[in-house]
Amino acid sequence: MNQAVILAGGQGKRMKAPIPKPMFKVLGEPMLEWVLSACEAAELSRTCVVTGYESNQIEAYLGDRCRTVFQAERLGTGHAVMQTIPFLSEDTSGSTLVLCGDAPFIDSRTIADSLLRHTKEKNAVTVITATVEQPFGYGRILRTDSGIAGIVEEKDATDEQRKITEINSGCYWFRTADLIQLLGKITNDNKQQEYYLTDTIAIALQDGLRAGAFCSKNPNVVLGANDRKGLLKLNTAARMAVLEQHMDNGVGFCCTDGIIIERHVEIGAGTEILPGTIIRGNSRIGCNCTIGPNCIIENTVIGDNSVLNSVQAYDSVMDSDVKIGPFVHIRPGSHIASNTLIGDFVEIKNSEIGANTAISHLAYVGDSNVGEYVNIGCGCATVNFDGIKKSRCEIGDHAFIGCNTNLIAPVSLGTYAYTAAGTTVTADVPDYALAIDRGTLSIRDGYSKKKFET
Ligand code: UD1
Ligand code: CA
């Protein structure tokens, strides 16, 4: 069995927040999530996360998704892996991938390819490396003619060694049985008085075991963040990589300012995304849409040929050819059928809106089923909350709801039902009926004239 251990005990002091470093987000997801999902995508059998600083936050995030082990004192990466020995001992048949929870760009391809090399070369340990222009701060790979001799940390390196540009990504494959043996031999005899996991390489070689290095084609696998500026760099790299992928798929961007698209979002060809648009979670947008400027789309599906301008939409579904905005709030649980028009300052919540319906301005539709070809006039409200419970409104096909109508839920309106402007509807309205609720209009001649004469 091949498995993973993710080191996530670190604090990230320079972030200046009581959050474990691997929980800081890159493109909307904790760095730990990027690492864990790469392991899942590489189909490793199981994973154990080493927690330390503010461990409860990581445990709460992970739930039952994988194992965790708590490292009470942070005495180095080698010490962190020692905490997993009970986990490792449960199955020593295969290999264990050790990764850092704060280097988010490890990818499943690198994991799979390095495992192939590790297995083929019959290595006890295979280090995943990358060659970078700025090796400062990273462990340097010491090469020999026949392979690798070890890893030296920045602080322990000589000036000559510091010039080496091949660096340790912090990810390694170990034969699990060998890892357990090697961990027993690490000491903290170095400048930082830490138990370095990297010492396992030289120890393996001394013990006559094989050690190798796999240089990843993806130099981003090494990237991590030590402070907020570094985190911004990771976000920028991830953001641009996602946008470029969408461009390759035929999505248009005339300007990428303020556009943030999380990595699981799908967008069809021919769609244009305009500035200030944030698309999150599992959102899926069809072909030939125009989204933006200034939209937030979260876990929402939008059909082809739709136009959204200054819309915030959460956990909802819109079919094709909808036109929504500007300044519209679509709240969770809404389904808006095709050809629907939703105009400025409209809020829809937990409602079904039928095809070809128009809700053009200043309306609230909550907890309602609205049919097809309905017209909801300006200023209408579904009065769905009586202070204790929420109730639903049913509005039949072709109904016409006059301006400033209040529908006091629960209430139902039939097909072709009409309400007169200003009506408060407190009883069901049958098909083809008109609900009208008006006092007698009285016109008082000269009313204001008298007022101003005194
Ligand atoms: C480590 C490597 C270095 C490599 C770099 C890649 C060692 C000695 N050095 O250095 O060669 O180039 O990663 O990023 O391994 N952690 C714990 N408990 C601890 C210490 C660390 O869980 O006691 C976790 C941290 O949360 C982090 C990871 O291990 O996720 C790496 O630790 P860090 O201190 O960042 O190691 P580096 O000094 O960067
Ligand atoms: Ca680090």
Side-chain angles (χ1 to χ4, degrees):
M1 174 168 78
N2 295 322
Q3 57 194 4
V5 164
I6 304 177
L7 307 184
Q11 176 178 2
K13 279 200 190 84
R14 279 178 278 167
M15 296 291 186
K16 303 199 173 145
I19 299 171
K21 187 152 70 150
M23 290 306 286
F24 280 92
K25 288 180 181 174
V26 169
L27 222 51
E29 295 169 58
M31 291 193 272
L32 178 61
E33 175 62 45
W34 288 73
V35 178
L36 187 55
S37 58
C39 294
E40 287 168 353
E43 296 182 341
L44 302 185
S45 302
R46 56 181 201 155
T47 302
C48 180
V49 174
V50 181
T51 65
Y53 179 71
E54 295 288 342
S55 57
N56 54 328
Q57 290 180 32
I58 293 182
E59 281 156 15
Y61 180 80
L62 292 174
D64 303 332
R65 194 158 151 208
C66 65
R67 296 266 290 271
T68 61
V69 59
F70 178 61
Q71 182 192 19
E73 278 180 296
R74 279 177 299 285
L75 303 178
T77 48
H79 182 258
V81 181
M82 287 174 202
Q83 312 309 306
T84 69
I85 288 176
F87 167 82
L88 298 173
S89 306
E90 287 167 18
D91 186 324
T92 56
S93 64
S95 287
T96 299
L97 177 70
V98 176
L99 318 96
C100 295
D102 58 357
F105 299 142
I106 184 74
D107 59 283
S108 57
R109 178 81 193 273
T110 298
I111 293 174
D113 289 352
S114 56
L115 175 61
L116 280 180
R117 173 85 62 84
H118 173 71
T119 316
K120 194 173 146 224
E121 292 184 350
K122 298 191 168 58
N123 291 334
V125 47
T126 304
V127 189
I128 300 174
T129 71
T131 300
V132 295
E133 280 169 22
Q134 306 279 353
F136 179 79
Y138 291 100
R140 308 297 203 285
I141 304 298
L142 306 179
R143 288 268 179 188
T144 61
D145 293 341
S146 55
I148 132 169
I151 299 174
V152 59
E153 291 306 300
E154 173 84 33
K155 290 198 174 101
D156 303 299
T158 63
D159 287 347
E160 206 53 37
Q161 288 169 331
R162 287 199 180 113
K163 287 184 192 146
I164 297 170
T165 54
E166 186 183 5
I167 59 163
N168 171 20
S169 69
C171 303
Y172 332 71
W173 276 107
F174 288 92
R175 221 158 34 209
T176 306
D178 291 331
L179 175 58
I180 295 169
Q181 295 301 314
L182 293 167
L183 288 170
K185 298 180 181 174
I186 300 176
T187 66
N188 63 350
D189 182 16
N190 53 55
K191 288 217 176 102
Q192 304 193 84
Q193 297 196 318
E194 283 183 8
Y195 293 89
Y196 290 165
L197 181 62
T198 45
D199 285 352
T200 51
I201 284 108
I203 298 170
L205 292 168
Q206 278 160 28
D207 288 1
L209 298 170
R210 295 182 54 91
F214 175 87
C215 190
S216 174
K217 286 187 202 78
N218 171 9
N220 286 353
V221 296
V222 303
L223 293 183
N226 290 320
D227 55 18
R228 303 273 181 173
K229 289 180 206 155
L231 195 62
L232 173 60
K233 280 190 190 148
L234 296 187
N235 270 289
T236 304
R239 185 175 86 89
M240 288 316 293
V242 168
L243 296 187
E244 280 167 15
Q245 205 175 346
H246 286 299
M247 289 185 230
D248 290 342
N249 293 341
V251 179
F253 300 86
C254 58
C255 165
T256 63
D257 287 359
I259 298 180
I260 301 172
I261 301 178
E262 292 185 5
R263 65 188 171 132
H264 298 302
V265 170
E266 292 171 25
I267 307 178
T271 287
E272 270 303 311
I273 309 291
L274 299 176
T277 293
I278 299 175
I279 312 180
R280 296 190 190 126
N282 296 315
S283 296
R284 230 167 49 232
I285 294 168
C287 297
N288 304 315
C289 297
T290 303
I291 310 293
N294 303 317
C295 289
I296 296 180
I297 311 291
E298 191 171 293
N299 298 321
T300 289
V301 177
I302 299 171
D304 297 342
N305 311 313
S306 294
V307 177
L308 275 72
N309 168 13
S310 297
V311 174
Q312 297 213 357
Y314 303 88
D315 302 290
S316 290
V317 175
M318 296 161 210
D319 296 345
S320 64
D321 302 275
V322 300
K323 190 164 187 294
I324 306 185
F327 316 117
V328 168
H329 190 182
I330 310 287
R331 291 171 54 200
S334 300
H335 171 217
I336 294 161
S338 56
N339 273 309
T340 290
L341 176 75
I342 298 179
D344 43 275
F345 306 104
V346 170
E347 176 176 330
I348 310 281
K349 188 210 88 177
N350 189 29
S351 292
E352 233 357 272
I353 311 291
N356 300 293
T357 282
I359 312 174
S360 299
H361 10 240
L362 297 158
Y364 171 59
V365 178
D367 302 313
S368 297
N369 296 336
V370 178
E372 297 182 355
Y373 293 99
V374 171
N375 190 350
I376 296 187
C378 182
C380 291
T382 53
V383 184
N384 59 327
F385 185 46
D386 64 6
I388 296 165
K389 65 175 193 309
K390 304 253 167 80
S391 306
R392 293 192 76 85
C393 294
E394 306 282 336
I395 301 176
D397 295 344
H398 299 276
F400 183 95
I401 314 298
C403 290
N404 271 314
T405 295
N406 291 316
L407 301 175
I408 312 292
V411 73
S412 109
L413 286 76
T415 50
Y416 287 99
Y418 269 54
T419 73
T423 297
T424 293
V425 180
T426 53
D428 292 352
V429 183
D431 297 352
Y432 298 96
L434 167 70
I436 177 162
D437 158 31
R438 298 248 171 94
T440 318
L441 178 70
S442 93
I443 307 284
R444 300 183 188 179
D445 271 336
Y447 168 81
S448 66
K449 217 172 176 184
K450 259 187 259 161
K451 234 180 144 140
F452 287 113
E453 271 165 4
T454 55

